[in-house]
Structures are given as structure tokens and as C-alpha cells.
Amino acid sequence: MSQTVGDFFLQRLHQWGVHTIFGYPGDGINGLIGALGRANGDFKFVQVRHEEMAAFMASAYAKFTGEVGVCMATSGPGAAHLITGLYDARLDHMPVLAITGQQARTAMGGHYQQEVDLPAMFKDVAGSFVCQASMPAQVRHVVDRAMRIAKGRNRVTAVVLPNDLQEAPYAEPPRAHGTLHSGVGYSAPKVVPHDADLRRAAEVLNAGGKVAILVGAGARHATDEVIAVAEALGAGVAKALLGKAVLPDDLPWVTGSIGLLGTKPSWELMSDCDTLLMIGSGFPYSEFLPPEGQARGVQIDLEPEMLSLRYPMEVGLVGDSRETLRALLPMLEQKKDRAWRKQIEKNVADWWKVLESRAMTAANPVNPQRVVWELSPRLPDRAIITSDSGSCANWYARDLKIRRGMMCSLSGGLASMGAAVPYAIAAKFAHPDRPVIALVGDGAMQMNNMAELITVAKYWREWANPHWVVCVFNNQDLNQVTWEQRVMEGDPKFNVSQQIPDVPYHRFGELLGLRGIFVDHPDRLAAAWEEALASDRPVVLEVKTDPEVPPLPPHITLKQARNFASATISGDPNEAGMLMGAAREVLSTVLPGSRSGGRH
Ligand SMILES: Cc1ncc(C[n+]2csc(CCOP(=O)(O)OP(=O)(O)O)c2C)c(N)n1
Ligand SMILES: [Mg+2]
């Protein structure tokens, strides 16, 4: 059999270094699936339960490997299912290639079954490159561009291949007018700003008396350099959610997360600094940065469009974070006055005590903060941790103590529910020897994560070790939003939209042949984590958690406090539990009158 377009397409992808594809079949890509079967085991095709999961996995694979994540789906419905996962990659600046089928060229334009205008559909999410191929000789440059643009610009790209084209014999582009002769390969450049700009940045940083640093995912390969700069400047460092693994939390001047899910010392760092250095972060909430004019600003980012977006920076440097910090370091003076640093360290030490007491506060039945608090000291070395969107993201952001060598991520920019399990599966395909832990709310579990446990059951025996745990916070509530409705809107809990059915998640895991562990008493948590992390097979650890522990921001505005009060007055169905339970204890530390309250 001569080489088909499908065969050539895969061969070319292989030359680009692709060896893992997350996907789901359909008649729109039978020509590609057939070619996969003929590809001599060059590829690992990971069969998912839903195409959105394939796209989440591709996004996470890119996050955990630095390579292009690749997902594949059939025409029409399969392609449409990819969209949310692709937006996740796009908003977090991840290189992902989406490959989909399309109806036959002879049928297109005919309102044919499963015919969707896919280039139009992908145009926003894969705006940097989306192409529907129509001729065999075109496919070579289509693959080359899709891969090079994804890799070189950290973008989502999409290739659409009509099904009859996939099966057509491949022909190289003839040497003729109107043909392209493209090649394989891309090496990332070393991007460093000009010396004069580095000197301007150094001048600002050297002049500052109270330097605050904010790091994001763009700094994840610059841990040593961030530490060296922070030491020289006597600075404290806050971490955007996607930058959680940049610095270990045992450094006494790391203030932890920032923003709505953030910490009080991060809030204090930004409130009191006179200089802000932002490195590789698109952290969205300006109100958690210093008020405009309070601090002189320097920002480093690989993407020019991310500069001076959240705070008007005096010096914006386009550059790779590690290389730029290395070039900057010799220009920085060691700050002699360490009073600012001491204050930060005190704030951080105090905050960890607050977190511990919050986590240990009794709740009904288990305080969700304690679930993560008890995990931190038991985290195995080199663990990869993922979180879903929901209240557990607060505990992940605040209570999880990351150590050096670990990785972690979640759906950051898109903040989509349903990402934690596919992320954790992709983590195992990226690093089969690392222990992986996913933190997931029950709503997100019901949305799609449960189905994807079937994928875990299908593949776990192939992994170098079985250490894969999903921890489900069963609070029978869409809790994060319930609290947003109370605190932001002043509305009582609306059971109709917020309450969700009780499901025995651990038993569902057992049905699939995984281990199920159920915890409904806080004293059982420590042993449960130990059992889960030592298990000889993947684990569904279900914890019955209290929905009345508020995932509140590190400071609360007067308006929010009033809203909260009026929500409880106007007949919240959980009023009694809320006022008598952990809510009051936690609120008392953040309501106006306390140090961080009432600033707005
Ligand atoms: C796809 C999607 N739909 C809806 C939301 C809005 N949302 C954010 S968190 C949340 C509640 C999540 O509930 P659950 O998973 O049970 O976690 P909990 O907050 O209860 O811990 C919702 C509905 C979202 N972020 N993504
Ligand atoms: Mg819930």
C-alpha cells in the first residue's frame, strides 16, 4: 500500500518529536486512526472518555513537559467537544495542536451530516494557525506550521483534515509555482533584553526600599534565579496560582498565593511595597497589586503583549525569565537594610499559624482545609498535584506546602471545572514514575472527572508505579459559587441550583477496580492519606467535607461583609450551621477591624 496522507501526516508529527496523542475516534478520522495502526508503535494513543478531556490532557501534558500537547478528535461533534480544553491551553499560554477530521471534500458545503465550519469554529481559540487542508501536497507545510507556531509562540493551533484526504495517496509538493517546501524543527531562542534596559530595571530595583516580587508560570524554570534576586533585594515573593511550583513554601519569605485564593502576607506584601518586580505572570486581579503610583514597577515576560497590563510598569523587559534574571543579577546591589524582609518573614510565620488553626477548627464533619493541611507533610518527593476549580482550589492555593522538585497546576486562566482528573492522567503519561494527586470537588467529579476514572482504570497498569490519588471533597454543594453568591451578591444559598446529589465516589472507584477510601472523621485523615499514597493501585479518597467553611478572600471588603450578613438574615437554608460552625471563626479573622479588613 502506498503512503496515504494520514501515514505521511503522522510520520511528519513523529519527526517533530510527537509521541503521545490524546484522543477519541470517529469516522471523520478513520484515515488517521488507520495510519496510527500502521505507525509501528511510534505513538502512544491515549483513549479518553470525552474529547474535552483529550484537550485538557494535551494542555496539561504541555504544562508538565514543556512539549507540544497533541489531541485528536473526529469531525463535527468530536471537534466541538475539544473546545473548552483548547481554551484552557490558550488562556494559560500552552502549546497545543488539535487535529480533527472533517467531512469528505466532495460533501463539503452540502449541509452534510456532521459538517461544521471547523476553521470558523477554531478561529478564536487557535487564531494563530488554523488550516483545513484540501490537497495532499499541502499537508507537509500545514503540519510544519502548526507545530512551529504552537512551539515557538506557545499557542493553540488546529489542523482539519477531510476524511477522504486522509486516505488519499500522499504526494510531495511539486517544484512549481504555488507550492511550499517547508521543513521540520524548532529551537527556542535565548531571549534577553538589551543591556541598557536591564540597567534601567536594575536602577529601579536598587532604589527600592521595600521590594515585592510576583512570580507566575513563566518563572517555573527560574527557581534558583528568583531566589538569588529575592535574596539580593531583601524581597518577599508572592506566587500567582500557576506559579505555585516556582518556589518552595518552606522559604520563610515566600508569601504564598495571591488574589482571591491568596494569603494575607501576599496582600500585605503588595499593600506595603514601594517596588514591584513581576516575573512571567498574567495574574489578572489588579486590585491585589499595589495601588497605582505606590510602587515603581519592573516586569519580565516572554510575551510583549503581557507587559504593563495589570500595573503600569516603569520598565517592561521582553525576555526569558531565567536568562533575564541571570543577566540582571550582577547589576543588583545587595540590600543592607533587612527590616522589610524581617517584617515579611514575621507575617509569613504568623500566617502559617493562622492556617493551621483554621485547618484544625472543628467542622461538620470534616474541615476541608484540614484535608489539604494533612496532605502537605505527607506529599511524596517529586509529586505532581492538580486541582479542580471550586473551593478546593482555595485550599490548594493556601494550605498545600510545595517543596522543591514538585510540580502542580490547574486550569488557571479559564478556571474551568473538570480539569483535575484529566490533568492528573496527563501527568502520569508525562512522568509515569511520579506520584500524582488530584484535588476535586464533588460537582466537578460529577461533571466529567468520574467518567475519566475509567481511563485511569484502563491504563494504570502501564505506569511505572500506581501512585495516583484523586481526593474528592464531598460537600453536596457547588460550594465556591454558593459562597460567591452569599458574599459578592448578598444572596442566600439557592438550593435549587447549588445542592447536588450525594454519590458514593469511593465505591464508584472500587467498582472500576481502583481502591476506595472513605473518611467522615477528621482524625482518620492522616492515616487515609498514608494509605492512599502507599496503595498498590490508584485511589479514590472521598472525604465528607463541611460546606459551611467559607473560602473567603484574604481580606474582605465592607460591602462583602454586609452582603454576607444580609444573605444570612434573608433566610439562607444553612443559616444555623453557618453561624455556629467554622464560618464565624474564620470570618472573625477577616472582617473589618482586623488588620487586613476594610481597606477598600
Ligand atoms: C465548566 C464550568 N462550569 C461552571 C463553573 C462555575 N463554578 C466554579 S466553581 C463551581 C462549583 C464547583 O463545585 P464543586 O466541584 O462541588 O466544588 P466545591 O466548590 O463544592 O468545593 C462552579 C459551578 C466553572 N468554573 N466551570
Ligand atoms: Mg462541592
Side-chain angles (χ1 to χ4, degrees), residues 389-392 415-417 441-444 447 475 477-481:
S389 296
S391 65
C392 67
S416 177
M417 285 169 75
D442 49 355
M447 186 174 270
N475 54 17
D477 186 24
L478 301 174
N479 195 241
Q480 177 71 23
V481 174

Side-chain angles (χ1 to χ4, degrees), residues 269-435:
L269 180 74
M270 293 298 156
S271 301
D272 297 337
C273 71
D274 61 17
T275 309
L276 172 64
L277 170 60
M278 211 161 133
I279 308 165
S281 175
F283 170 67
Y285 304 138
S286 292
E287 73 270 30
F288 287 89
L289 298 177
E292 225 179 298
Q294 175 187 300
R296 299 177 73 188
V298 174
Q299 187 179 356
I300 302 167
D301 207 289
L302 205 47
E303 300 201 16
E305 70 209 51
M306 297 309 292
L307 293 175
S308 260
L309 203 53
R310 318 296 191 204
Y311 188 86
M313 297 290 172
E314 204 170 316
V315 184
L317 301 174
V318 176
D320 169 80
S321 55
R322 182 171 56 196
E323 299 299 339
T324 304
L325 292 176
R326 278 185 186 170
L328 194 58
L329 261 167
M331 302 178 186
L332 298 179
E333 293 156 11
Q334 297 285 323
K335 288 216 191 301
K336 299 216 171 55
D337 183 353
R338 306 305 267 195
W340 167 244
R341 173 56 91 76
K342 280 213 181 72
Q343 182 60 48
I344 294 163
E345 292 187 1
K346 181 176 180 320
N347 293 347
V348 170
D350 290 348
W351 172 252
W352 282 116
K353 284 186 209 131
V354 169
L355 278 185
E356 178 167 21
S357 78
R358 285 189 186 180
M360 291 305 162
T361 302
N364 184 19
V366 179
N367 186 326
Q369 296 165 106
R370 183 154 172 193
V371 179
V372 180
W373 185 262
E374 298 275 7
L375 168 63
S376 286
R378 295 176 174 83
L379 277 173
D381 288 342
R382 300 179 71 245
I384 303 180
I385 305 101
T386 71
S387 171
D388 221 286
S389 296
S391 65
C392 67
N394 293 264
W395 324 133
Y396 161 89
R398 296 194 192 121
D399 294 79
L400 192 75
K401 268 196 170 182
I402 282 289
R403 300 195 305 273
R404 214 170 162 149
M406 296 178 178
M407 294 182 180
C408 54
S409 200
L410 40 53
S411 172
L414 192 63
S416 177
M417 285 169 75
V421 169
Y423 265 46
I425 293 171
K428 263 301 196 191
F429 282 101
H431 303 283
D433 61 327
R434 285 180 174 239

Side-chain angles (χ1 to χ4, degrees), residues 33-187:
I33 299 288
L36 268 174
R38 293 188 292 275
N40 301 323
D42 280 349
F43 294 93
K44 174 75 196 168
F45 180 82
V46 180
Q47 179 211 59
V48 297
R49 298 314 104 202
H50 184 300
E51 292 86 349
E52 181 180 312
M53 302 303 107
F56 275 136
M57 288 180 204
S59 174
Y61 191 83
K63 288 183 177 188
F64 295 134
T65 62
E67 301 293 320
V68 176
V70 180
C71 53
M72 189 188 281
T74 189
S75 49
H81 268 180
L82 290 176
I83 289 292
T84 303
L86 295 181
Y87 271 110
D88 174 58
R90 177 66 200 104
L91 268 63
D92 287 350
H93 307 257
M94 284 298 119
V96 163
L97 167 63
I99 304 158
T100 73
Q102 176 59 293
Q103 279 310 345
R105 289 165 294 173
T106 45
M108 273 161 53
H111 187 60
Y112 207 68
Q113 188 199 27
Q114 294 193 334
E115 185 191 352
V116 170
D117 185 348
L118 294 179
M121 188 185 81
F122 284 129
K123 198 64 205 172
D124 183 42
V125 73
S128 299
F129 185 76
V130 46
C131 186
Q132 180 167 291
S134 51
M135 289 289 289
Q138 184 191 4
V139 170
R140 176 169 138 192
H141 75 255
V142 169
V143 186
D144 291 345
R145 288 207 78 203
M147 285 300 294
R148 189 170 289 110
I149 291 169
K151 244 179 183 333
R153 297 181 57 198
N154 291 323
R155 288 294 198 276
V156 174
T157 57
V159 172
V160 180
L161 295 176
N163 59 23
D164 59 335
L165 179 65
Q166 296 163 31
E167 290 158 18
Y170 179 67
E172 286 289 355
R175 186 170 164 78
H177 188 64
T179 63
L180 281 89
H181 298 263
S182 62
V184 172
Y186 175 79
S187 309

